């Protein structure tokens, strides 16, 4: 492999860089990103400022769709965003609270030879279809499902309890999925922390809790931040889980977007709502990147 | 200056702009390039999921020695989006909600069908509605399948006698056991019918009354959703009835769940209808028209009625349905059902927007 070593103006040695044809290897990724991400996004942004009536574009630049987001139907679309943020916040916090102890035990309590096997077992549910996993939860939580049958069989409850088709079921489905993701990101961060740091703290008289709170936890925050950010992004934009498990008794933002497309084909409004959702994700990214130093990961 | 993993700026601004311009130009060129022509032995159909079974399409494909390429979609908006991204001549056949035939035809997308060549004599007379499949005296769609919005129920838990009146939709005895089919026009018409608003006469003045009743139903609802969602609710016990459900929601489930049934109210129902159309730019007009006639013939009508995706009534009265299927579809009750049923109405854009707002509020309440 032909590598070029360059010397900087200050006389330091630069890292080797690919030369000539090797740099062309970057172009496929650039072209792909430009063609299938930047360009469609730009088109969608432009469409979001148009206004359609009877399937025809009647205004080529207007903020009407963005105003409608706030004003339409006494704020039902705004409420969809609030619902999405609430669900996403609960899912992210719950997933972190569950995933961190799992990742900690995996990294520090489980013998190294078992760690890989347990990690594989952890991600096994990833191998099943997302849709099938959601429907499986619906069957588990349903009135005729395994939990209700068990509880009624044991005499704990007289009548089946409706556990599916609500926000709780949506959150459960999300948490089940994102705990796996967060466990992986936190685990990969924990195993990078030098053992000597934790030993030094212990030698200086720190209790195991103090080591966790003052050494391990701060150093593992980048892993938590990356996992939390991915959870936030994937959760807030997900259509399938709330559609299957939520029973459509309240709208989340992706469902509100889909409703603009379905019968009326109002792509202008759907684009505007998508751009608003993307704005929220960007804010979340900036918060994660600046406050939690994701770049250190 | 920030450097990449290789210790140097990945691209200068000039390089970045140059690369981006080249990329966009390449994408634009690819988009503008003429696509390879279609083979002569292909028929491209844009249809609902009930037209995807081999047992329906294979006999036509074999007889005419063509390959039928199928693309299925769910809602008219999605179909229009597909068409906007297609080239003229890409598609031959469209299956669409009958209330949307005029909407598609007005865009110049549909070919006129010669009414005299169509098997109208075999079709239920109540389906012969010039306000749906015609614009003026020109026909653009042929009704091929229809069904009712009434109420579905679990016979093991609910007595059919409790469901004869439209007031069953908001009867408190079903609190927490109600699934609502998530399609605003027929469901709002059904609710309107229950409070004395004749289907087709909904307007901005009587819409608030429908809204009030919908919010009453919302308090009783355990699930609101599309067909698979409300079907699941009935099967898993999350609901005992489906408001605005009909044969399309339960008849294909009865083999495994014989307690599932459906009925329309004494006051009547709203019926839906789907039509098969030929695209104006289809290069295979004659073959596409033959396909329309084929779909309307007795045996394909029976296959269409019992499609693996969903069952419903064949438009052809002479469809060769087995007796056990006729019983599930309440075939013998058709004359009475049709006599007291109303087709979907097509609200104007302003009313449609208001109805959607009410429906969104209903979902969000």
């Amino acid at each position: 492999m032909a590598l070029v070593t360059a010397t900087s103006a200050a006389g330091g040695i630069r890292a080797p860089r690919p030369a000539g044809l090797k740099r062309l290897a970057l172009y496929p990724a650039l072209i792909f990103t430009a063609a299938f991400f930047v360009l469609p996004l730009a088109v969608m942004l432009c469409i979001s400022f148009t206004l359609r009536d009877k399937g025809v574009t009647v205004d080529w630049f207007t903020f009407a769709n963005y105003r409608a987001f706030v004003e339409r139907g006494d704020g039902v679309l705004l409420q969809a965003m609030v619902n999405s943020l609430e669900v996403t916040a609960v899912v992210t916090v719950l997933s972190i609270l569950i995933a961190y102890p799992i990742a900690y035990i995996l990294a520090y309590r489980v013998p190294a030879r078992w760690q890989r096997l347990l990690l594989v077992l952890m991600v096994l549910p990833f191998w099943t279809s997302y849709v099938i996993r959601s429907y499986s939860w619906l069957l588990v939580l349903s009135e005729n499902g395994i939990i209700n049958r068990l509880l009624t069989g044991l005499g704990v409850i007289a009548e089946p309890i409706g556990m599916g088709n609500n926000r709780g079921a949506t959150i459960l489905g999300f948490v089940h999925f994102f705990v796996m993701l967060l466990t992986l990101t936190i685990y990969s961060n924990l195993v990078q922390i030098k053992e000597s740091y934790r030993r030094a703290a212990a030698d200086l008289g720190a209790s195991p809790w103090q080591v966790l709170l003052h050494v391990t936890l701060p150093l593992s925050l980048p892993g938590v931040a990356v996992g939390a950010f991915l959870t936030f992004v994937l959760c807030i934009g997900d259509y399938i889980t709330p559609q299957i498990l939520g029973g459509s008794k309240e709208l989340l933002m992706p469902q509100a977007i889909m409703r603009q497309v379905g019968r009326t084909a109002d792509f202008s409004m759907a684009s505007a709502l998508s751009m608003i959702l993307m704005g929220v994700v960007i804010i979340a990214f900036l918060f994660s990147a600046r406050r939690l130093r994701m770049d250190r990961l | 200056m920030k450097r990449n993993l290789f210790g140097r700026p990945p691209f200068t601004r000039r390089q970045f702009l140059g690369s981006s311009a080249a990329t966009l130009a390449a994408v634009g060129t690819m988009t503008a390039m003429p696509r390879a022509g279609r083979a002569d032995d292909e028929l491209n159909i844009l249809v609902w999921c009930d037209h995807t079974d081999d047992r329906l399409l294979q006999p036509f494909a074999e007889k005419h020695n063509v390959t039928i390429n199928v693309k299925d979609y769910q809602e008219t908006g999605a179909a229009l989006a597909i068409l906007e991204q297609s080239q003229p001549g890409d598609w031959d056949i469209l299956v669409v909600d009958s209330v949307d035939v005029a909407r598609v035809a007005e865009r110049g997308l549909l070919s006129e069908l010669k009414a005299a060549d169509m098997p109208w004599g075999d079709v239920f007379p109540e389906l012969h509605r010039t306000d749906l499949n015609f614009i003026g005296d020109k026909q653009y769609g042929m009704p091929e399948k229809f069904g009712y919005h009434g109420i579905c129920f679990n016979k093991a838990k609910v007595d059919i006698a409790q469901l004869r009146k439209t007031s069953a939709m908001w009867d408190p005895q079903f609190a927490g056991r109600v699934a609502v089919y998530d399609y605003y026009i027929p469901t709002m018409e059904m609710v309107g019918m229950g409070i004395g608003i004749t289907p087709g006469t909904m307007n901005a003045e009587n819409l608030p009354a429908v809204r009030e009743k919908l919010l009453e139903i919302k308090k009783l609802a355990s699930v609101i959703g599309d067909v698979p969602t409300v079907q699941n609710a009935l099967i898993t016990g999350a609901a005992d009835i489906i408001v605005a459900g009909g044969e399309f929601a339960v008849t294909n489930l009865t083999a495994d769940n014989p307690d599932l049934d459906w009925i329309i109210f004494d006051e009547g129902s709203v019926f839906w209808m789907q039509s098969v159309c030929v695209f104006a730019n289809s290069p295979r007009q004659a073959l596409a028209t033959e396909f329309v006639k084929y779909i309307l013939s007795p045996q394909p009508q029976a296959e269409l009625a019992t499609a693996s995706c969903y069952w419903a009534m064949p438009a052809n009265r002479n469809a060769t349905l087995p007796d056990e299927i006729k019983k599930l579809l309440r075939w013998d009750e058709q004359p009475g059902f049709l006599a007291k049923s109303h087709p979907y109405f097509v609200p104007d854009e302003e009313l449609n927007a208001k109805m959607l707002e009410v429906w969104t509020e209903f979902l969000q309440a």
Side-chain angles (χ1 to χ4, degrees):
Chain A
M1 186 169 119
L3 292 175
V4 176
T5 302
T7 305
S8 73
I13 303 296
R14 282 183 183 169
R17 62 181 172 81
L21 287 174
K22 293 292 178 188
R23 291 192 66 218
L24 290 178
L26 296 174
Y27 278 85
L30 179 71
I31 291 170
F32 186 88
T33 305
F36 298 109
F37 179 69
V38 178
L39 184 63
L41 198 64
V43 170
M44 198 156 73
L45 180 66
C46 293
I47 292 174
S48 76
F49 291 110
T50 63
L51 186 66
R52 283 169 78 92
D53 185 31
K54 298 179 183 175
V56 179
T57 303
V58 293
D59 197 339
W60 288 96
F61 188 82
T62 172
F63 289 97
N65 296 319
Y66 290 92
R67 274 200 303 276
F69 167 67
V70 179
E71 296 169 356
R72 183 176 287 182
D74 291 332
V76 287
L77 296 174
L78 193 61
Q79 185 59 44
M81 175 57 88
V82 172
N83 291 341
S84 279
L85 286 171
E86 285 175 359
V87 167
T88 304
V90 172
V91 167
T92 306
V93 170
L94 278 178
S95 300
I96 291 171
L97 291 176
I98 296 170
Y100 199 94
I102 296 172
Y104 186 89
I105 290 168
L106 265 176
Y108 298 135
R109 294 286 183 267
V110 173
R113 66 179 181 279
W114 290 106
Q115 285 181 8
R116 187 168 296 176
L117 175 65
L118 287 174
L119 275 174
V120 171
L121 292 175
M122 278 292 303
V123 298
L124 264 183
F126 270 123
W127 297 359
T128 60
S129 156
Y130 195 28
V131 175
I132 290 172
R133 202 162 49 233
S134 296
Y135 271 116
S136 302
W137 269 116
L138 194 61
L139 294 177
V140 169
L141 298 171
S142 72
E143 275 79 348
N144 299 336
I146 187 169
I147 296 175
N148 269 311
R149 284 187 183 182
L150 186 67
L151 294 176
T152 48
L154 293 172
V156 178
I157 54 173
E159 292 292 327
I161 305 166
M163 290 179 280
N165 299 304
N166 53 39
R167 183 184 281 199
T170 301
I171 289 173
L172 181 63
F174 273 138
V175 168
H176 173 228
F177 181 76
F178 291 120
V179 159
M180 295 181 278
L181 181 73
L182 268 156
T183 301
L184 288 177
T185 61
I186 296 170
Y187 169 84
S188 67
N189 196 206
L190 286 174
V191 293
Q192 288 180 44
I193 298 172
K194 288 181 180 173
E195 185 64 17
S196 56
Y197 293 171
R198 301 169 67 242
R199 283 186 186 159
D203 288 347
L204 292 170
S207 68
W209 272 108
Q210 287 173 317
V211 173
L212 172 65
L213 287 176
H214 299 296
V215 178
T216 312
L217 187 58
L219 289 173
S220 63
L221 276 184
V224 175
V226 169
F229 175 68
L230 290 175
T231 300
F232 186 92
V233 172
L234 295 172
C235 184
I236 204 165
D238 188 282
Y239 172 75
I240 298 291
T241 303
Q243 188 67 16
I244 294 175
L245 288 171
S248 293
K249 286 191 290 185
E250 64 176 2
L251 285 181
L252 301 189
M253 203 58 178
Q255 293 167 296
I257 293 170
M258 282 298 289
R259 281 179 181 279
Q260 312 308 317
V261 177
R263 182 175 161 73
T264 53
D266 189 351
F267 289 97
S268 301
M269 189 67 201
S271 298
L273 295 180
S274 300
M275 296 315 297
I276 290 166
L277 189 62
M278 188 157 188
V280 171
V281 170
I282 289 170
I283 292 169
F285 172 76
L286 293 175
F287 176 83
S288 303
R290 288 191 173 234
R291 299 291 178 85
L292 300 173
R293 307 301 305 272
M294 283 166 66
D295 54 317
R296 283 188 179 176
L297 189 68
Chain B
M1 179 184 286
K2 286 194 175 180
R3 298 180 186 285
N4 66 10
L5 288 173
F6 306 121
R8 57 170 293 164
F11 288 99
T12 64
R13 184 177 291 113
R14 180 175 296 177
Q15 283 173 315
F16 177 77
L17 291 174
S19 301
S20 301
T23 302
L24 294 179
V27 171
T29 306
M30 282 188 287
T31 308
M33 278 169 61
R35 281 184 284 181
R38 282 173 48 188
D40 288 336
D41 58 351
E42 289 181 350
L43 191 72
N44 295 343
I45 65 176
L46 183 60
V47 293
W48 288 2
C49 63
D50 57 344
H51 287 67
T52 56
D53 291 336
D54 275 349
R55 61 186 161 95
L56 172 68
L57 302 177
Q58 203 58 35
F60 183 84
E62 284 175 2
K63 181 180 176 187
H64 294 275
N65 196 25
V66 291
T67 301
I68 301 178
N69 301 315
V70 183
K71 169 79 179 169
D72 72 292
Y73 72 93
Q74 285 196 4
E75 293 182 86
T76 304
L80 292 175
I82 292 168
L83 294 174
E84 277 184 15
Q85 293 159 24
S86 304
Q87 299 290 322
D90 275 356
W91 300 101
D92 303 302
I93 290 287
L94 174 71
V95 168
V96 68
D97 202 328
S98 298
V99 295
D100 289 325
V101 169
R103 184 179 165 199
V104 181
E106 280 166 358
R107 296 181 177 208
L109 294 172
L110 299 182
S111 183
E112 183 186 349
L113 299 173
K114 290 181 182 168
D117 291 347
M118 295 293 128
W120 279 109
D122 295 335
V123 173
F124 284 101
E126 292 83 354
L127 305 184
H128 194 162
R129 299 191 58 102
T130 52
D131 56 332
L132 292 180
N133 291 296
F134 289 72
I135 297 179
D137 59 352
K138 292 184 176 179
Q139 183 185 351
Y140 291 97
M142 187 68 197
E144 53 158 23
K145 192 173 176 179
F146 71 102
Y148 302 91
H149 291 285
I151 199 157
C152 299
F153 59 101
N154 184 338
K155 283 188 282 193
K157 296 183 177 175
V158 181
D159 186 347
I160 192 170
Q162 298 171 291
L163 304 171
R164 290 292 182 187
K165 299 290 179 189
T166 46
S167 56
M169 289 188 285
W170 49 84
D171 189 334
Q173 71 169 316
F174 299 124
R177 324 294 311 156
V178 178
V180 181
Y181 176 46
D182 184 4
Y183 189 6
Y184 67 106
I185 292 180
T187 309
M188 291 172 83
E189 280 194 282
M190 296 278 297
V191 171
M193 193 161 56
I195 56 175
I197 301 169
T198 307
T201 62
M202 196 176 293
N203 53 42
E205 281 70 46
N206 55 31
L207 193 56
V210 175
R211 174 187 170 276
E212 289 305 311
K213 202 48 90 175
L214 275 174
L215 294 177
E216 207 175 302
I217 294 173
K218 179 65 185 284
K219 290 175 186 162
L220 310 176
S222 57
V223 178
I224 302 162
D226 54 14
V227 174
T229 302
V230 292
Q231 283 177 326
N232 262 307
L234 213 52
I235 292 168
T236 60
D240 294 339
I241 61 173
I242 302 174
V243 168
E247 77 299 317
F248 63 92
V250 290
T251 43
N252 63 341
L253 303 175
T254 48
D256 295 325
N257 303 274
D259 286 331
L260 303 186
D261 202 353
W262 67 281
I263 192 72
I264 69 168
F265 298 116
D266 288 347
E267 295 97 318
S269 81
V270 173
F271 75 86
W272 55 271
M273 186 165 44
Q274 62 191 58
S275 297
V276 57
C277 316
V278 174
F279 278 105
N281 286 312
S282 164
R284 323 227 188 297
Q285 292 284 329
L287 187 64
T289 306
E290 278 305 307
F291 184 82
V292 173
K293 292 177 187 170
Y294 164 78
I295 286 290
L296 266 293
S297 54
Q299 184 54 34
Q301 279 282 285
E303 304 294 353
L304 187 62
T306 57
S308 52
C309 186
Y310 64 92
W311 292 14
M313 309 299 167
N316 188 330
R317 290 177 292 182
N318 303 316
T320 51
L321 290 170
D323 287 343
E324 63 272 19
I325 303 293
K326 284 183 175 176
K327 190 179 172 191
L328 291 171
L329 290 174
R330 295 183 178 274
W331 188 251
D332 294 339
E333 298 174 70
Q334 290 311 295
F337 279 13
L338 277 168
K340 58 182 178 182
S341 296
H342 307 263
Y344 280 11
F345 85 121
V346 188
D348 59 36
E349 288 292 323
E350 193 179 347
L351 181 60
N352 188 49
K354 285 181 178 163
M355 289 175 71
L356 269 174
E357 270 188 28
V358 168
W359 190 253
T360 310
E361 189 184 352
F362 161 70
L363 293 172
Q364 203 67 286

